[in-house]
Amino acid sequence: MDALLQVKDLTKTYPGFTLDHVSFTVPKGSIMGLIGENGAGKSTTIKGILGLIRPEAGAVTFWGQDLAGAPELKEDIGVVFDGLSFYETLTPARVGSILGAAYRRWDDALYKEYMQRFSLPMDKEIKGLSKGMKAKLGIAAALAHRPRFLILDEATSGLDPVMRDDMLDVFLEFVQDEEHGILMSSHITTDLEKVADYITFIHEGRVLFTRPKDELRYQWGIVRCGAAAFGRMDPAGMLAWRKEAYQYDVLVPDKEAARRQYKDAVVDDATIDDILLLYVKGERSK
């Protein structure tokens, strides 16, 4: 597995919060979805990856190299945060001129192509753009310097469902050549269900798991049963559980095996939202 991005034991301590030995790898040609509740450490992880904060421990490499030792790699990384960082009095045309001077591989024709594709005006000041239009501008600017890796921190949160779907198609196109990759933090888990190859789940500063998305969606499940049936369940096969008003919801790693074993219980498919909620709000084996 060729790694585009490798994060190993990334650690950063703040008063009341610790990013605790976060590790994961983004292979070539893949999209890694980064999930977790607000305050779990997703944005801190991304800042640590980009060198915007100084971690106490850990290592981050792109294509096997440290950014500090190979600053030219920054040309190969496109970044989009939730919220545009350009001056509000600039126009998209002026943004293109500025970025064209900053990036060696800036492709002005590609930038204008994305602006047209996203239905963005070139000569309107940024302060007059909607939140969704600003989000699209940020994505167009990130793609137009032809990066090999994209880091997206809630980049689609300001878009309506139709435009989000169009943007997800753009991300899928980006990784089609099997050489590019994306790290995508999003609280819109349905987006990740559509495009992600892997999911890394961060909770309270720690990585709970990194798994293929298809394993979560097509193998994991939720057993819904009463107290008596819950008491007979094998704890070794329970990832997390939660007591609801009239039943227990139990997250299991093999829903087909659970259907064979617990014939009197209902076993449903698990969405990424379901998994997140049960891990965060439910109980887990120590």
Side-chain angles (χ1 to χ4, degrees), residues 20-219:
D20 190 2
H21 293 84
V22 166
S23 299
F24 60 88
T25 298
V26 183
K28 282 184 178 180
S30 70
I31 298 177
M32 173 69 76
L34 194 61
I35 67 169
E37 73 277 22
N38 289 339
K42 302 188 299 297
S43 292
T44 303
T45 298
I46 288 175
K47 289 175 182 176
I49 289 169
L50 292 170
L52 300 178
I53 58 173
R54 182 174 294 178
E56 286 97 40
V60 177
T61 56
F62 290 90
W63 302 281
Q65 300 180 76
D66 188 295
L67 275 185
E72 68 276 5
L73 291 180
K74 292 180 180 179
E75 289 267 342
D76 292 316
I77 303 167
V79 182
V80 184
F81 290 109
D82 179 17
L84 207 57
S85 56
F86 303 128
Y87 287 118
E88 291 278 284
T89 54
L90 294 176
T91 63
R94 182 62 181 145
V95 167
S97 298
I98 293 169
L99 295 180
Y103 288 101
R104 290 184 311 234
R105 291 201 305 268
W106 178 261
D107 188 331
D108 201 55
L110 181 62
Y111 179 62
K112 290 174 180 174
E113 180 182 320
Y114 277 122
M115 294 297 289
Q116 184 174 13
R117 180 174 177 176
F118 298 162
S119 301
L120 292 173
M122 290 294 286
D123 298 318
K124 187 173 183 177
E125 290 187 347
I126 291 173
K127 64 184 177 184
L129 302 180
S130 67
K131 183 178 180 182
M133 294 170 79
K134 291 177 182 178
K136 290 187 284 185
L137 173 59
I139 292 167
L143 290 167
H145 68 86
R146 294 195 174 276
R148 293 190 288 158
F149 192 82
L150 281 178
I151 296 179
L152 310 172
D153 189 7
E154 302 289 356
T156 60
S157 63
L159 301 175
D160 63 62
V162 174
M163 194 61 226
R164 274 206 336 271
D165 194 65
D166 291 342
M167 207 62 60
L168 295 178
D169 288 338
V170 171
F171 299 154
L172 289 171
E173 291 169 11
F174 181 78
V175 298
Q176 268 186 350
D177 69 350
E178 300 295 328
E179 292 295 323
H180 294 167
I182 298 175
L183 174 63
M184 182 176 177
S185 164
S186 179
H187 69 276
I188 307 172
T189 56
T190 52
D191 287 357
L192 299 179
E193 287 178 355
K194 178 175 180 181
V195 301
D197 298 289
Y198 302 93
I199 299 291
T200 292
F201 182 11
I202 295 182
H203 175 58
E204 295 180 345
R206 295 185 178 186
V207 171
L208 294 187
F209 63 73
T210 296
R211 291 283 188 275
K213 185 270 309 278
D214 287 350
E215 176 186 327
L216 303 180
R217 290 291 290 116
Y218 302 119
Q219 294 183 30

